[in-house]
Amino acid sequence: MTGRVLTSSGVPIRGALVEIWHADNGGNYIYSASSARNAAADSNFQGFGQFLTGSSGAYKFRTVKAGLYNGRTRHYHIAVTIPGQLTRYCTQLFWNETAYVLDSSGNNSSTVGGTQMPATRFSPR
């Protein structure tokens, strides 16, 4: 995943902290609410990354395609902290696909609905 952090007038921002985190390709996050490492998660998957932008404002991450888990489309979480600012801007990037939803019998059923948040879409090449 690549991109650039720019001001509203298109000027690159040097030193912006860009962070990503997401589930492994099996849909497991490496940490759960208990703060213990999720045993079901891929042991070779770090689950997050950080990058400080250079003079062009560019960032680059090499990662796996986020896996599906119940009720959600595939997505990456991304946050940007601009130098000298206290606010951390967060969003999510989504694939344009149907959410993975389990019915009451535990079967995958995309007709149930699921959480589709189309604010930001991500189409990997």
Side-chain angles (χ1 to χ4, degrees), residues 68-89:
L68 291 166
Y69 60 89
N70 194 24
R72 297 296 305 273
T73 58
R74 295 177 203 275
H75 62 282
Y76 291 149
H77 301 267
I78 187 166
V80 178
T81 306
I82 306 298
Q85 298 208 0
L86 299 177
T87 304
R88 178 181 181 209
Y89 301 94

Side-chain angles (χ1 to χ4, degrees), residues 1 6 18-19 23 25 27 33 41 47 60-61 66 68 87 91 99 106 110 115 118:
M1 176 174 53
L6 309 171
V18 181
E19 301 171 278
N25 62 4
K60 182 177 184 176
F61 294 99
L68 291 166
T87 304
T91 191
S110 61
T115 304

Side-chain angles (χ1 to χ4, degrees), residues 1-5 13-21 46 48-63 77-83 88:
M1 176 174 53
T2 62
R4 293 175 66 205
V5 180
I13 299 176
R14 180 185 186 98
L17 174 63
V18 181
E19 301 171 278
I20 66 167
W21 63 98
Q46 183 173 317
F48 68 94
Q50 296 179 316
F51 195 102
L52 280 175
T53 60
S55 59
S56 69
Y59 61 87
K60 182 177 184 176
F61 294 99
R62 182 172 182 233
T63 188
H77 301 267
I78 187 166
V80 178
T81 306
I82 306 298
R88 178 181 181 209

